[in-house]
């Protein structure tokens, strides 16, 4: 009985001990598994996390690089824009040059359209204006048309002996300086008559005429002026077209230098601007038959260049050529020319060096302020110019070597 009891007691004790040990090991095993799990996780997944960090870093670096490049590009564009603007500001002629170029293109386009319309309407451009390709492409500074008449042979000879170079010198002036000079005249009411034959003989000798398709007459000066600009524009591609009377003294080199100042400006009208009275009374010189168009009696004309000498730029000559059939002609040619430019965006240049007197031109020349043109206001030209032109040239001329040394 006692033995069974002992064994039974020992069995109970052993069972309790086993249960106690099992709990301890369970705790240790849990802690061990936990640590092993942490260790396993740290060893199994380091590379993906490193790659993720690396990728994030690379992406971040790439974004920074692109932003930096964009910033640099933006700064570069800004610097380039500033450089371009700076060049424009440094060169004030750049805008004027662009404006002149655009104006020339518009002029050429308008002229081409006018020629096309003329052909479509059955009035083709005259064959007289078709020049060789090499001639039409030549660029000139100015064309100087000296207005003359059949009875002015002595005046023309006085001009040839003073300020218009003769023969080969005149041709050399065209080639080297781009200055064309011609006496401008039409034909008589009886074509082929004695007056026309006299001009033809003079032309054969000197070769310095521009013949117009125009009937000569004092009351037809406005029509002659319009025909001159139209013809000159068709024959020569010049920056300026000048009209001057044959009883006016001109310093050609000084004129060229003066016009060259406005070379980059489109639509320029240069002369001695005036605004004389509108003369309604019949029988007086410069009577205006259409005086009523200028308002009340005693009113003055609009500003226009005096008729002894004036110059217009290429764009204005083209305008006259294109619109010649609709431009109104007043009896006074200088008034007519001024009226053609009303309403246009034209720069009027009032240059008093283009209208010096034959007395003050001498002391101005001595002072170094050489006049472009000289004449007597009382005669609307040099009084007795055929006899006095040489004297005025001697006192007021720019010198024999001025044209050779001139650079435009």
């Amino acid at each position: 009985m006692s033995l069974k009891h002992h064994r039974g007691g020992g069995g109970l004790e052993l069972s309790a001990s086993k249960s106690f040990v099992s709990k301890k090991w369970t705790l240790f095993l849990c802690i061990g598994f936990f640590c092993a799990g942490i260790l396993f996780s740290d060893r199994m997944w380091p590379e993906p996390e490193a790659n993720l960090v690396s990728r994030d870093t690379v992406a971040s670096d790439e974004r920074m690089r692109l932003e930096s490049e964009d910033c640099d590009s933006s700064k570069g564009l800004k610097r380039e824009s500033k450089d371009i603007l700076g060049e424009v500001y440094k060169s004030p002629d750049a805008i004027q040059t662009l404006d002149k170029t655009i104006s020339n293109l518009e002029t050429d386009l308008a002229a081409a359209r006018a020629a096309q319309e003329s052909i479509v309407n059955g009035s083709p451009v005259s064959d007289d204006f078709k020049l060789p390709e090499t001639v039409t492409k030549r660029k000139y500074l100015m064309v100087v048309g000296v207005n003359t008449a059949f009875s002015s042979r002595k005046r023309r000879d006085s001009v040839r002996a003073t300020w218009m170079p003769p023969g080969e010198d005149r041709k050399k002036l065209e080639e080297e300086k781009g200055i064309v000079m011609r006496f401008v005249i039409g034909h008589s009411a009886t074509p082929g008559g004695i007056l026309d034959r006299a001009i033809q003989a003079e032309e054969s000798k000197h070769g310095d005429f521009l013949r117009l398709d125009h009937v000569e007459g004092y009351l037809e000066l406005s029509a002659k002026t319009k025909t001159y600009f139209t013809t000159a524009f068709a024959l020569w591609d010049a920056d300026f077209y000048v009209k001057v009377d044959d009883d006016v003294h001109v310093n050609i080199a000084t004129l060229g230098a003066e016009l060259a100042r406005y070379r980059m400006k489109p639509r320029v009208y240069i002369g001695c601007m005036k605004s004389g009275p509108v003369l309604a009374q019949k029988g007086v010189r410069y009577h205006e038959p259409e005086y009523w168009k200028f308002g009340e009696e005693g009113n003055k004309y609009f500003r226009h260049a005096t008729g002894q000498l004036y110059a217009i730029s290429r764009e204005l000559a083209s305008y006259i050529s294109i619109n010649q059939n609709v431009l109104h002609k007043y009896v006074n040619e200088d008034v007519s020319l001024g009226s053609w430019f009303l309403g246009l965006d034209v720069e009027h240049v009032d240059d008093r060096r283009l209208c010096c007197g034959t007395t003050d031109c001498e002391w101005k020349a001595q002072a170094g302020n050489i006049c472009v043109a000289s004449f007597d206001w009382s005669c609307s030209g040099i009084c007795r110019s055929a006899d006095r032109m040489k004297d005025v040239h001697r006192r007021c001329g720019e010198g024999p070597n001025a044209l050779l040394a001139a650079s435009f």
Side-chain angles (χ1 to χ4, degrees):
M1 290 285 297
S2 59
L3 180 59
K4 185 185 287 188
H5 177 74
H6 179 73
R7 287 180 180 173
L12 291 171
E13 188 178 52
L14 180 60
S15 178
S17 177
K18 286 181 181 181
S19 176
F20 177 76
V21 172
S22 177
K23 289 179 181 180
K24 283 183 178 181
W25 278 108
T26 299
L27 179 60
F28 288 144
L29 287 174
C30 288
I31 294 172
F33 285 141
F34 177 74
C35 294
I38 292 175
L39 182 62
F40 177 79
S41 298
D42 288 341
R43 289 186 177 180
M44 289 298 294
W45 302 104
E47 186 174 351
E49 289 183 3
N51 289 339
L52 181 60
V53 173
S54 176
R55 289 171 185 170
D56 290 342
T57 302
V58 170
S60 177
D61 291 343
E62 185 68 16
R63 283 196 302 271
M64 291 179 66
R65 185 181 66 81
L66 291 175
E67 289 174 358
S68 176
E69 289 180 357
D70 290 342
C71 185
D72 291 341
S73 299
S74 178
K75 289 180 180 179
L77 289 173
K78 289 180 180 179
R79 282 195 300 269
E80 186 176 352
S81 299
K82 289 180 179 178
D83 291 341
I84 294 173
L85 291 175
E87 289 300 321
V88 172
Y89 293 140
K90 289 178 182 177
S91 179
D93 292 337
I95 296 177
Q96 290 184 355
T97 301
L98 181 60
D99 189 21
K100 180 77 173 181
T101 302
I102 294 173
S103 180
N104 286 338
L105 292 174
E106 291 175 344
T107 298
D108 293 340
L109 179 60
R113 286 175 175 171
Q116 183 181 21
E117 290 177 3
S118 178
I119 294 173
V120 171
N121 294 333
S123 301
V125 180
S126 173
D127 292 338
D128 295 339
F129 296 151
K130 293 182 180 179
L131 298 181
E133 189 75 12
T134 55
V135 176
T136 57
K137 286 187 176 182
R138 176 71 162 86
K139 187 72 175 179
Y140 297 91
L141 170 64
M142 61 181 179
V143 176
V144 180
V146 184
N147 183 43
T148 191
F150 290 113
S151 60
S152 299
R153 172 63 187 264
K154 290 184 178 180
R155 287 186 179 182
R156 291 191 291 273
D157 286 340
S158 70
V159 170
R160 293 184 182 111
T162 53
W163 57 267
M164 178 187 282
E168 293 300 321
D169 291 339
R170 182 175 48 81
K171 293 180 181 179
K172 187 177 180 181
L173 184 65
E174 294 181 13
E175 296 172 357
E176 296 182 359
K177 306 296 182 180
I179 299 176
V180 178
M181 302 177 68
R182 296 287 190 278
F183 288 106
V184 180
I185 195 168
H187 57 80
S188 65
T190 55
I194 187 172
L195 296 177
D196 292 303
R197 290 199 302 270
I199 293 295
Q200 187 59 44
E202 195 175 341
E203 164 66 9
S204 299
K205 180 179 180 180
H206 298 285
D208 53 6
F209 279 93
L210 171 61
R211 301 300 301 272
L212 303 179
D213 184 13
H214 165 79
V215 178
E216 285 291 324
Y218 179 76
L219 297 180
E220 297 298 325
L221 285 178
S222 292
K224 183 177 182 180
T225 300
K226 181 165 55 174
T227 304
Y228 159 63
F229 283 123
T230 300
T231 306
F233 177 75
L235 293 175
W236 296 286
D237 182 11
D239 290 320
F240 296 96
Y241 298 85
V242 182
K243 177 264 175 182
V244 58
D245 290 338
D246 60 5
D247 56 353
V248 174
H249 179 267
V250 182
N251 285 314
I252 294 298
T254 306
L255 173 61
E258 192 68 12
L259 295 183
R261 295 172 51 201
Y262 304 96
R263 216 168 190 172
M264 291 297 104
K265 292 187 177 182
R267 300 177 301 279
V268 182
Y269 174 33
I270 306 171
C272 288
M273 299 296 164
K274 66 175 185 178
S275 181
V278 179
L279 302 178
Q281 184 180 353
K282 292 183 179 181
V284 300
R285 192 180 186 186
Y286 304 128
H287 165 64
E288 178 56 71
E290 298 179 88
Y291 62 89
W292 60 273
K293 289 185 177 180
F294 299 93
E296 300 297 327
E297 186 174 347
N299 282 356
K300 292 185 176 182
Y301 287 111
F302 41 80
R303 287 283 175 181
H304 61 279
T306 186
Q308 285 79 7
L309 186 150
Y310 46 72
I312 62 175
S313 62
R314 179 180 183 272
E315 295 80 10
L316 296 183
S318 173
Y319 173 80
I320 294 173
S321 176
I322 294 169
N323 300 284
Q324 57 180 306
N325 294 326
V326 296
L327 294 177
H328 182 71
K329 301 183 294 294
Y330 291 98
V331 68
N332 298 308
E333 51 97 8
D334 52 353
V335 173
S336 294
L337 183 70
S339 71
W340 298 338
F341 303 147
L342 291 177
L344 302 182
D345 186 13
V346 174
E347 180 177 353
H348 290 60
V349 178
D350 182 18
D351 192 338
R352 310 315 290 185
R353 296 175 68 195
L354 274 62
C355 55
C356 296
T358 57
T359 54
D360 58 355
C361 64
E362 182 176 6
W363 62 261
K364 287 182 178 179
Q366 293 173 353
N369 185 23
I370 298 176
C371 292
V372 172
S374 304
F375 56 89
D376 299 310
W377 282 103
S378 60
C379 297
S380 297
I382 297 176
C383 299
R384 297 179 291 107
S385 65
D387 300 323
R388 296 182 58 230
M389 185 66 76
K390 287 185 178 180
D391 177 64
V392 175
H393 183 68
R394 178 184 58 81
R395 294 185 294 105
C396 306
E398 56 196 356
N401 297 322
L403 268 176
L404 295 176
S407 176
F408 308 111

